[in-house]
Amino acid sequence: MSSGLRLDRLAKTFPNGTAALGELSADIAAGAFVSLLGPSGCGKSTVLRLIAGLEEPTLGRVDWPQTRGSLGFIFQEPTLMAWTSAAKNVALPLELAGMAKTQARERARVALEKVGLAGFADALPRELSGGMRMRVSIARALVADPDVLLMDEPFAALDEFTRSKLNDDLLRLWAERRFTGIFVTHSVFEAVYLSQRILILSGRPGRLVADIENPAPYPREPGYRTSAAFNATARDILDALEEISTC
Amino acid sequence: MLMRGLRIILPIALFLGLIRFWEWSVVYWEIKSFILPPPSAILAVFATDGASLLGSAWTTLGTTLAAFALATLSGTALAALFASSRITEAALSPYAVILQVTPIIAIAPLIIVWVGLDNAWLAVLILAWITAFFPVLASATAGLKAVDPNLRDLFRLYRADFRQTFIRLMVPSSLPYLLAGIKTAGGLALVGAVVAEFAAASGNTDGLAWRILEAGNRLQIAKMFAALLLLALMGVALYAILSFVEWLLLHRWHGDRRRG
């Protein structure tokens, strides 16, 4: 299951006067993997928070053509509860929704296996590496089988090696579950590798300056990173970014 | 390992050395025992006046523990109320600060007039409670505010109600802060109890402060030292127990920082 959504002239000005986001309109198809790319402070995170309902838009709205999709959110940091085990962290969304503990923990265990953390169910966050913590965070976001997965620069703090490994894992999970993925990043190469479509936002207030399709088929293998097709898409994006880098 | 052994052995060796020196110097310089009694005389007090001292210590300990329990419960409850309602916090927090910054010894006569004439023990309890209350309130409030904003968002995203957010997120996040406040409150409850006993004085209470006043009036300096020793032991025991509780609750989650 997945849901498409439409951003309809979405804008956000904070009470202190900061215009984070200009009027952003975009249709995001059900099951698509879309990246929001742009320099820091161009309202990319604000878009995710508006979709998640964590902020109210100043103007415009988020439309759900069918029913409002269920959401998963992956933050920049793993954002785990330090006082409790990986499994209990992952079980949180289910338990908050009222699922019985034993059933929720069992599903959490399965979700942890899916992200390669079988055997770490009882580990505390501080006993895990940065990459493993992020995997727990991914498992938690996916445990309730969301229609839409919102990701706010989730791998920005990780080393290159861990990051590309997690990119592959994310694509594998997306292929299995077919959620609608909205991925915020400021890495051109990460955006190209992951996405079917890249929305480029300019600096404050964030505005859509380019909407680039990436036709490369999935599954994308690590070899794609050095292919001519990859370079062509990256070139398009860099050209679009060139135009806004002066603002 | 060697360092850890030394950490235990050194203070004990120093303590024993100082006691020997004290005993020796009192004899050597012929210091009058109503100025500075030798440690052996202080120990001897426990043989003669042990029962009355321990009885008084029991009274003071009871007041301290009751005040500590009250302070912990009321401080935590009020902090929780503040966390759930900003209006309550805005309305009440100035009064909590006023109560905190006004010296307890200055409030004491008033409380004693109000409740202490019939029931000195209650007046002492109230004063000790006021003394210990604020650190619990302040630390619990700070802890409840220190919740990771992303985790708070996550709970909102999954539509957690206030009860779920409070129990699953706010209480555990604030626990390290709260426990630090509670540890301070333990010591302050003892300080408050003794100060209040001094203020109530004149035979109304039979806590250790009264024993100290009584012994002072009679120039029984060894007995004063014995009472002080009991107070110090009580304070240390309280601190040690609370540190242990803190360790029990937090060590798994925080880990032993020295081992990384």
Side-chain angles (χ1 to χ4, degrees), chain B residues 143-226:
Chain B
L144 289 171
K145 282 186 177 159
V147 173
D148 177 352
N150 282 339
L151 272 175
R152 202 184 276 277
D153 281 344
L154 192 80
F155 274 71
R156 275 179 61 201
L157 188 78
Y158 291 118
R159 302 207 173 80
D161 55 34
F162 181 77
R163 195 183 57 87
Q164 287 174 320
T165 311
F166 189 75
I167 293 172
R168 286 168 174 271
L169 178 62
M170 294 167 86
V171 169
S173 307
S174 60
L175 203 59
Y177 293 80
L178 179 65
L179 288 171
I182 284 177
K183 215 160 65 172
T184 314
L188 281 180
L190 182 62
V191 171
V194 172
V195 167
E197 281 175 3
F198 269 113
S202 56
N204 279 327
T205 65
D206 61 349
L208 275 175
W210 171 243
R211 294 288 159 230
I212 290 174
L213 279 176
E214 189 187 45
N217 289 337
R218 297 174 190 172
L219 283 185
Q220 296 169 324
I221 308 301
K223 195 174 170 187
M224 289 175 86
F225 268 103

Coordinates of all heavy atoms in Angstrom, one line a residue, chain B residues 143-226:
Chain B
G143 N 14.3 18.7 33.9 CA 14.4 17.4 33.2 C 13.2 17.3 32.2 O 13.4 16.8 31.1
L144 N 12.0 17.7 32.7 CA 10.9 17.5 31.8 C 11.0 18.4 30.6 O 10.4 18.2 29.5 CB 9.6 17.9 32.6 CG 9.2 16.8 33.6 CD1 8.1 17.3 34.5 CD2 8.8 15.5 33.0
K145 N 11.8 19.5 30.7 CA 11.9 20.4 29.6 C 13.1 19.9 28.6 O 13.2 20.4 27.5 CB 12.3 21.8 30.1 CG 11.0 22.5 30.5 CD 11.3 24.0 30.9 CE 10.0 24.6 31.3 NZ 10.2 25.8 32.1
A146 N 13.9 19.0 29.1 CA 15.1 18.6 28.4 C 14.8 17.5 27.4 O 15.7 16.9 26.9 CB 16.2 18.2 29.3
V147 N 13.5 17.2 27.2 CA 13.2 16.1 26.3 C 13.6 16.4 24.9 O 13.4 17.5 24.4 CB 11.6 15.9 26.3 CG1 11.2 14.9 25.3 CG2 11.2 15.4 27.7
D148 N 14.2 15.4 24.2 CA 14.7 15.6 22.8 C 13.5 16.0 22.0 O 12.5 15.3 21.9 CB 15.2 14.2 22.4 CG 15.6 14.2 20.9 OD1 15.4 15.2 20.2 OD2 16.2 13.2 20.5
P149 N 13.6 17.2 21.3 CA 12.4 17.7 20.6 C 12.0 16.8 19.4 O 10.9 16.7 19.1 CB 12.9 19.1 20.0 CG 14.3 19.2 20.3 CD 14.7 18.2 21.4
N150 N 13.0 16.1 18.8 CA 12.7 15.1 17.8 C 11.8 14.0 18.3 O 10.9 13.5 17.6 CB 14.0 14.6 17.1 CG 14.6 15.5 16.2 OD1 13.9 16.4 15.7 ND2 15.9 15.4 15.9
L151 N 12.2 13.5 19.5 CA 11.4 12.4 20.1 C 10.0 12.9 20.4 O 9.0 12.2 20.2 CB 12.1 11.9 21.4 CG 13.1 10.8 21.2 CD1 13.8 10.4 22.5 CD2 12.4 9.5 20.6
R152 N 9.9 14.1 20.8 CA 8.6 14.7 21.1 C 7.8 14.7 19.8 O 6.6 14.4 19.8 CB 8.8 16.1 21.6 CG 7.6 16.6 22.4 CD 7.9 18.1 22.8 NE 8.7 18.2 24.0 CZ 8.2 18.2 25.2 NH1 6.9 18.0 25.4 NH2 9.0 18.3 26.3
D153 N 8.4 15.1 18.7 CA 7.8 15.2 17.4 C 7.3 13.8 17.0 O 6.2 13.6 16.5 CB 8.7 15.7 16.3 CG 8.8 17.2 16.4 OD1 7.9 17.8 17.0 OD2 9.7 17.8 15.7
L154 N 8.2 12.8 17.3 CA 7.9 11.4 16.9 C 6.6 11.0 17.7 O 5.7 10.3 17.1 CB 9.0 10.5 17.3 CG 9.0 9.1 16.7 CD1 9.4 9.1 15.3 CD2 9.8 8.2 17.6
F155 N 6.5 11.3 18.9 CA 5.3 10.9 19.7 C 4.1 11.7 19.1 O 3.0 11.1 19.1 CB 5.5 11.3 21.2 CG 6.2 10.2 22.0 CD1 7.5 9.9 21.8 CD2 5.5 9.4 22.9 CE1 8.1 8.9 22.4 CE2 6.1 8.4 23.6 CZ 7.4 8.1 23.3
R156 N 4.3 12.9 18.7 CA 3.1 13.6 18.1 C 2.7 13.0 16.8 O 1.5 12.8 16.5 CB 3.5 15.1 17.8 CG 3.3 16.0 19.1 CD 3.7 17.4 18.7 NE 3.0 18.0 17.6 CZ 3.3 19.0 16.9 NH1 4.5 19.6 17.1 NH2 2.6 19.5 16.0
L157 N 3.7 12.6 16.0 CA 3.5 12.0 14.7 C 2.6 10.7 14.9 O 1.7 10.4 14.1 CB 4.8 11.6 14.1 CG 4.7 11.1 12.6 CD1 4.5 12.3 11.7 CD2 6.0 10.4 12.3
Y158 N 2.9 9.9 16.0 CA 2.1 8.7 16.2 C 0.9 8.9 17.1 O 0.4 8.0 17.7 CB 3.1 7.6 16.7 CG 4.1 7.1 15.7 CD1 5.4 7.3 15.9 CD2 3.6 6.6 14.5 CE1 6.3 6.9 14.9 CE2 4.5 6.1 13.6 CZ 5.9 6.3 13.8 OH 6.8 5.9 12.8
R159 N 0.6 10.2 17.2 CA -0.6 10.6 17.9 C -0.7 10.0 19.4 O -1.7 9.5 19.8 CB -1.9 10.1 17.2 CG -1.9 10.7 15.8 CD -3.4 10.8 15.3 NE -3.4 11.5 14.0 CZ -3.1 10.9 12.9 NH1 -2.8 9.7 12.8 NH2 -3.2 11.6 11.7
A160 N 0.4 10.1 20.1 CA 0.4 9.7 21.5 C -0.4 10.7 22.3 O -0.2 11.9 22.0 CB 1.9 9.6 22.0
D161 N -1.1 10.3 23.3 CA -1.8 11.2 24.1 C -0.9 11.7 25.2 O 0.2 11.2 25.4 CB -3.1 10.6 24.7 CG -2.9 9.3 25.4 OD1 -1.9 9.2 26.1 OD2 -3.8 8.4 25.4
F162 N -1.4 12.6 26.1 CA -0.5 13.1 27.1 C 0.0 12.1 28.1 O 1.2 12.1 28.4 CB -1.2 14.3 27.9 CG -0.3 14.9 28.9 CD1 0.7 15.8 28.5 CD2 -0.4 14.5 30.3 CE1 1.6 16.3 29.5 CE2 0.5 15.1 31.2 CZ 1.5 16.0 30.8
R163 N -0.9 11.2 28.4 CA -0.5 10.1 29.4 C 0.7 9.3 28.8 O 1.7 9.0 29.5 CB -1.7 9.2 29.7 CG -1.5 8.4 30.9 CD -2.8 7.5 31.1 NE -3.0 6.7 29.9 CZ -2.5 5.5 29.7 NH1 -1.6 5.0 30.6 NH2 -2.7 4.8 28.6
Q164 N 0.5 8.8 27.6 CA 1.5 8.0 26.9 C 2.9 8.8 26.8 O 3.9 8.3 27.1 CB 1.1 7.6 25.5 CG 0.0 6.6 25.5 CD -0.5 6.3 24.1 OE1 -0.6 7.3 23.3 NE2 -0.7 5.1 23.7
T165 N 2.8 10.1 26.4 CA 4.0 10.9 26.2 C 4.6 11.1 27.6 O 5.9 11.0 27.7 CB 3.6 12.3 25.6 OG1 2.8 12.1 24.5 CG2 4.8 13.0 25.2
F166 N 3.8 11.3 28.6 CA 4.4 11.5 29.9 C 5.1 10.3 30.5 O 6.3 10.4 30.9 CB 3.3 11.9 30.9 CG 3.8 12.4 32.2 CD1 4.3 13.7 32.3 CD2 3.7 11.6 33.3 CE1 4.8 14.1 33.6 CE2 4.2 12.1 34.6 CZ 4.7 13.3 34.7
I167 N 4.4 9.2 30.4 CA 5.0 8.0 31.0 C 6.2 7.4 30.2 O 7.2 7.0 30.7 CB 3.9 6.9 31.2 CG1 2.9 7.3 32.2 CG2 4.6 5.5 31.6 CD1 1.7 6.4 32.3
R168 N 6.0 7.4 28.9 CA 7.0 6.8 28.0 C 8.2 7.7 27.6 O 9.2 7.2 27.3 CB 6.4 6.2 26.7 CG 5.5 5.0 26.9 CD 4.7 4.8 25.7 NE 4.0 3.5 25.8 CZ 4.5 2.3 25.4 NH1 5.7 2.3 24.9 NH2 3.8 1.3 25.5
L169 N 7.9 9.0 27.6 CA 9.0 9.9 27.2 C 9.5 10.8 28.2 O 10.7 10.9 28.5 CB 8.5 10.7 26.0 CG 9.4 11.7 25.4 CD1 10.7 11.0 24.8 CD2 8.7 12.5 24.3
M170 N 8.5 11.5 28.9 CA 9.0 12.6 29.7 C 9.6 12.1 31.0 O 10.6 12.6 31.5 CB 7.8 13.6 30.0 CG 7.4 14.3 28.8 SD 5.8 15.1 28.9 CE 6.3 16.7 29.6
V171 N 9.0 11.1 31.6 CA 9.5 10.6 32.9 C 10.9 10.0 32.7 O 11.9 10.4 33.4 CB 8.6 9.5 33.5 CG1 9.2 8.8 34.7 CG2 7.3 10.2 34.0
P172 N 11.1 9.1 31.7 CA 12.5 8.5 31.5 C 13.5 9.6 31.1 O 14.6 9.5 31.6 CB 12.3 7.5 30.5 CG 10.9 7.4 30.1 CD 10.1 8.4 30.8
S173 N 13.1 10.5 30.3 CA 14.1 11.6 29.9 C 14.5 12.4 31.1 O 15.6 12.8 31.1 CB 13.5 12.5 28.9 OG 12.9 11.9 27.8
S174 N 13.6 12.7 32.0 CA 13.9 13.6 33.1 C 14.5 12.9 34.3 O 15.0 13.5 35.2 CB 12.7 14.3 33.5 OG 11.7 13.5 33.9
L175 N 14.5 11.6 34.2 CA 15.0 10.8 35.4 C 16.4 11.2 35.9 O 16.6 11.4 37.1 CB 14.9 9.3 35.1 CG 14.9 8.4 36.3 CD1 13.6 8.7 37.2 CD2 14.8 6.9 35.9
P176 N 17.4 11.3 35.0 CA 18.7 11.7 35.5 C 18.7 13.1 36.2 O 19.4 13.2 37.2 CB 19.6 11.8 34.2 CG 18.9 11.0 33.2 CD 17.4 11.1 33.5
Y177 N 18.0 14.0 35.7 CA 17.9 15.3 36.3 C 17.2 15.2 37.7 O 17.6 15.7 38.7 CB 17.0 16.3 35.5 CG 17.6 16.7 34.2 CD1 17.6 15.8 33.1 CD2 18.2 17.9 34.0 CE1 18.1 16.2 31.9 CE2 18.8 18.3 32.8 CZ 18.7 17.4 31.7 OH 19.3 17.7 30.5
L178 N 16.1 14.5 37.7 CA 15.3 14.3 38.9 C 16.1 13.6 40.0 O 16.1 14.1 41.1 CB 14.0 13.4 38.6 CG 13.1 13.1 39.8 CD1 12.5 14.4 40.3 CD2 12.1 12.1 39.4
L179 N 16.9 12.6 39.6 CA 17.7 11.9 40.6 C 18.8 12.8 41.2 O 19.1 12.7 42.4 CB 18.3 10.6 40.0 CG 17.2 9.5 39.8 CD1 17.8 8.4 39.0 CD2 16.6 9.0 41.1
A180 N 19.3 13.6 40.4 CA 20.3 14.6 40.9 C 19.7 15.5 41.9 O 20.3 15.8 42.9 CB 21.0 15.4 39.7
G181 N 18.5 16.0 41.6 CA 17.8 16.9 42.5 C 17.4 16.2 43.8 O 17.5 16.7 44.9
I182 N 17.0 14.9 43.7 CA 16.6 14.1 44.9 C 17.8 13.9 45.8 O 17.7 13.9 47.0 CB 16.0 12.8 44.4 CG1 14.6 13.1 43.9 CG2 16.0 11.8 45.5 CD1 13.9 11.8 43.4
K183 N 19.0 13.7 45.1 CA 20.2 13.5 45.9 C 20.5 14.7 46.7 O 20.9 14.7 47.9 CB 21.4 13.2 45.0 CG 22.3 12.2 45.6 CD 23.2 11.5 44.5 CE 24.1 12.5 43.8 NZ 25.0 11.8 42.9
T184 N 20.4 15.9 46.1 CA 20.6 17.2 46.8 C 19.5 17.3 47.9 O 19.8 17.8 49.0 CB 20.4 18.4 45.9 OG1 21.2 18.1 44.7 CG2 20.9 19.6 46.5
A185 N 18.3 16.9 47.6 CA 17.2 17.1 48.6 C 17.4 16.3 49.8 O 17.1 16.7 50.9 CB 15.9 16.7 47.9
G186 N 18.0 15.1 49.7 CA 18.3 14.3 50.9 C 19.2 15.0 51.9 O 18.8 15.1 53.1
G187 N 20.3 15.6 51.4 CA 21.1 16.3 52.3 C 20.5 17.6 52.8 O 20.6 17.9 54.0
L188 N 19.7 18.3 52.0 CA 19.0 19.5 52.4 C 17.9 19.2 53.5 O 17.7 20.0 54.3 CB 18.4 20.2 51.3 CG 19.4 21.1 50.5 CD1 18.8 21.8 49.3 CD2 20.1 22.1 51.4
A189 N 17.3 18.0 53.3 CA 16.2 17.7 54.3 C 16.9 17.6 55.7 O 16.3 18.0 56.7 CB 15.6 16.4 53.9
L190 N 18.1 17.0 55.8 CA 18.8 16.9 57.1 C 19.2 18.3 57.6 O 18.9 18.6 58.7 CB 20.0 16.0 56.9 CG 20.8 15.8 58.2 CD1 20.0 15.0 59.2 CD2 22.1 15.0 57.8
V191 N 19.7 19.1 56.7 CA 20.1 20.5 57.1 C 18.8 21.2 57.6 O 18.8 21.8 58.7 CB 20.6 21.3 55.9 CG1 20.8 22.7 56.2 CG2 22.0 20.7 55.4
G192 N 17.7 21.1 56.8 CA 16.5 21.8 57.2 C 16.0 21.3 58.5 O 15.5 22.1 59.4
A193 N 16.0 20.0 58.7 CA 15.5 19.5 60.0 C 16.3 20.0 61.2 O 15.8 20.4 62.2 CB 15.6 17.9 60.0
V194 N 17.7 20.0 61.0 CA 18.5 20.5 62.2 C 18.3 22.0 62.4 O 18.2 22.4 63.6 CB 20.0 20.1 61.9 CG1 20.9 20.7 62.9 CG2 20.1 18.6 61.9
V195 N 18.3 22.7 61.3 CA 18.1 24.2 61.5 C 16.8 24.5 62.2 O 16.7 25.3 63.1 CB 18.1 24.9 60.1 CG1 17.6 26.3 60.2 CG2 19.5 24.9 59.6
A196 N 15.7 23.7 61.8 CA 14.4 24.0 62.4 C 14.4 23.5 63.8 O 13.8 24.2 64.7 CB 13.3 23.2 61.6
E197 N 15.1 22.5 64.1 CA 15.2 22.0 65.5 C 15.9 23.1 66.4 O 15.4 23.4 67.5 CB 16.0 20.7 65.6 CG 15.2 19.5 65.3 CD 16.0 18.2 65.3 OE1 17.2 18.3 65.6 OE2 15.5 17.2 64.9
F198 N 16.9 23.7 65.8 CA 17.6 24.8 66.6 C 16.6 25.9 66.8 O 16.5 26.5 67.9 CB 18.8 25.3 65.7 CG 20.1 24.6 66.1 CD1 20.7 23.8 65.1 CD2 20.6 24.8 67.3 CE1 21.9 23.2 65.4 CE2 21.8 24.2 67.6 CZ 22.4 23.3 66.7
A199 N 15.8 26.3 65.8 CA 14.9 27.4 65.9 C 13.8 27.1 66.9 O 13.4 27.9 67.6 CB 14.3 27.7 64.5
A200 N 13.3 25.8 66.9 CA 12.2 25.5 67.8 C 12.8 25.4 69.2 O 12.2 25.9 70.1 CB 11.6 24.1 67.4
A201 N 13.9 24.8 69.3 CA 14.7 24.7 70.6 C 13.9 24.5 71.8 O 12.8 23.9 71.9 CB 15.6 25.9 70.6
S202 N 14.5 25.0 72.9 CA 13.9 25.1 74.3 C 13.0 23.9 74.6 O 11.9 24.1 75.1 CB 13.2 26.4 74.4 OG 12.2 26.5 73.5
G203 N 13.6 22.7 74.4 CA 12.9 21.6 75.0 C 11.7 21.1 74.2 O 11.1 20.1 74.6
N204 N 11.4 21.8 73.2 CA 10.2 21.4 72.4 C 10.4 20.2 71.6 O 9.4 19.4 71.4 CB 9.7 22.6 71.5 CG 8.9 23.6 72.3 OD1 8.2 23.3 73.3 ND2 9.1 24.9 71.9
T205 N 11.6 20.0 71.1 CA 11.8 18.8 70.3 C 13.0 18.1 71.0 O 13.7 18.7 71.8 CB 12.3 19.2 68.9 OG1 13.5 19.8 69.0 CG2 11.3 20.0 68.2
D206 N 13.2 16.8 70.7 CA 14.3 16.1 71.3 C 15.3 15.6 70.2 O 15.8 14.6 70.4 CB 13.8 15.0 72.2 CG 13.0 14.0 71.5 OD1 12.7 14.3 70.3 OD2 12.7 12.9 72.0
G207 N 15.4 16.4 69.1 CA 16.3 16.0 68.1 C 17.8 16.2 68.4 O 18.0 16.7 69.5
L208 N 18.6 15.9 67.5 CA 20.1 16.1 67.8 C 20.5 17.5 68.0 O 21.4 17.8 68.8 CB 20.9 15.5 66.6 CG 21.2 14.0 66.7 CD1 21.9 13.5 65.5 CD2 22.0 13.6 68.0
A209 N 19.8 18.5 67.3 CA 20.1 19.9 67.5 C 19.9 20.3 69.0 O 20.7 21.0 69.6 CB 19.2 20.7 66.6
W210 N 18.8 19.8 69.6 CA 18.6 20.0 71.0 C 19.7 19.5 71.9 O 20.1 20.1 72.8 CB 17.2 19.5 71.4 CG 16.9 19.5 72.9 CD1 16.8 18.5 73.7 CD2 16.9 20.7 73.7 NE1 16.6 18.9 75.0 CE2 16.7 20.3 75.0 CE3 17.0 22.1 73.4 CZ2 16.6 21.2 76.1 CZ3 16.9 22.9 74.5 CH2 16.7 22.5 75.8
R211 N 20.2 18.3 71.6 CA 21.3 17.7 72.3 C 22.5 18.6 72.2 O 23.3 18.8 73.2 CB 21.6 16.3 71.8 CG 20.6 15.3 72.0 CD 20.4 14.8 73.4 NE 19.1 14.3 73.6 CZ 18.3 14.6 74.6 NH1 18.6 15.5 75.5 NH2 17.1 14.1 74.7
I212 N 22.7 19.2 71.0 CA 23.9 20.0 70.8 C 23.8 21.3 71.7 O 24.7 21.7 72.4 CB 24.1 20.3 69.3 CG1 24.5 19.1 68.6 CG2 25.1 21.4 69.1 CD1 24.6 19.2 67.1
L213 N 22.6 21.9 71.6 CA 22.4 23.1 72.4 C 22.5 22.8 73.9 O 23.2 23.6 74.6 CB 20.9 23.6 72.2 CG 20.7 24.4 70.9 CD1 19.2 24.7 70.8 CD2 21.5 25.7 71.0
E214 N 21.9 21.7 74.3 CA 22.0 21.4 75.8 C 23.4 21.1 76.2 O 23.9 21.7 77.2 CB 21.2 20.1 75.9 CG 20.9 19.6 77.3 CD 20.2 18.2 77.2 OE1 20.7 17.3 76.5 OE2 19.2 18.0 77.9
A215 N 24.2 20.4 75.4 CA 25.5 20.1 75.7 C 26.4 21.3 75.7 O 27.3 21.5 76.5 CB 26.1 19.0 74.8
G216 N 26.1 22.2 74.8 CA 26.8 23.5 74.7 C 26.6 24.3 75.9 O 27.6 24.9 76.5
N217 N 25.4 24.4 76.4 CA 25.1 25.2 77.6 C 25.8 24.6 78.8 O 26.2 25.4 79.7 CB 23.6 25.2 77.9 CG 22.9 26.0 76.8 OD1 23.5 26.9 76.2 ND2 21.6 25.8 76.6
R218 N 26.1 23.3 78.8 CA 26.7 22.7 79.9 C 28.2 22.5 79.7 O 28.9 21.8 80.4 CB 26.1 21.4 80.3 CG 24.6 21.5 80.7 CD 24.0 20.2 80.8 NE 22.6 20.3 81.0 CZ 21.7 19.2 81.0 NH1 22.2 18.0 80.8 NH2 20.5 19.4 81.1
L219 N 28.7 23.1 78.6 CA 30.1 22.9 78.2 C 30.6 21.5 78.1 O 31.7 21.1 78.4 CB 31.1 23.6 79.2 CG 31.1 25.2 79.1 CD1 32.2 25.7 80.0 CD2 31.5 25.6 77.6
Q220 N 29.6 20.6 77.7 CA 30.0 19.2 77.4 C 30.4 19.0 76.0 O 29.6 18.6 75.1 CB 28.8 18.3 77.7 CG 28.4 18.3 79.2 CD 27.0 17.6 79.4 OE1 26.1 17.7 78.6 NE2 26.9 16.9 80.5
I221 N 31.6 19.5 75.7 CA 32.1 19.6 74.3 C 32.1 18.2 73.6 O 31.8 18.0 72.5 CB 33.4 20.3 74.2 CG1 33.3 21.7 74.9 CG2 33.8 20.6 72.7 CD1 32.3 22.6 74.4
A222 N 32.6 17.2 74.4 CA 32.7 15.9 73.9 C 31.3 15.4 73.4 O 31.2 14.7 72.3 CB 33.2 14.9 74.9
K223 N 30.3 15.7 74.1 CA 28.9 15.3 73.7 C 28.5 16.0 72.4 O 27.8 15.5 71.6 CB 28.0 15.6 74.8 CG 26.6 14.9 74.7 CD 25.8 15.1 75.9 CE 24.3 14.6 75.7 NZ 23.5 14.9 76.8
M224 N 28.9 17.3 72.3 CA 28.6 18.1 71.1 C 29.2 17.4 69.9 O 28.6 17.2 68.9 CB 29.1 19.5 71.2 CG 28.3 20.4 72.1 SD 29.1 22.0 72.3 CE 28.4 22.8 70.9
F225 N 30.5 17.0 70.1 CA 31.2 16.3 69.0 C 30.5 15.0 68.7 O 30.4 14.6 67.5 CB 32.7 16.0 69.4 CG 33.6 17.1 69.0 CD1 34.1 18.0 69.9 CD2 34.0 17.2 67.7 CE1 34.9 19.0 69.5 CE2 34.9 18.2 67.3 CZ 35.3 19.1 68.2
A226 N 30.0 14.3 69.7 CA 29.4 13.0 69.4 C 28.1 13.2 68.6 O 27.8 12.5 67.7 CB 29.0 12.3 70.8

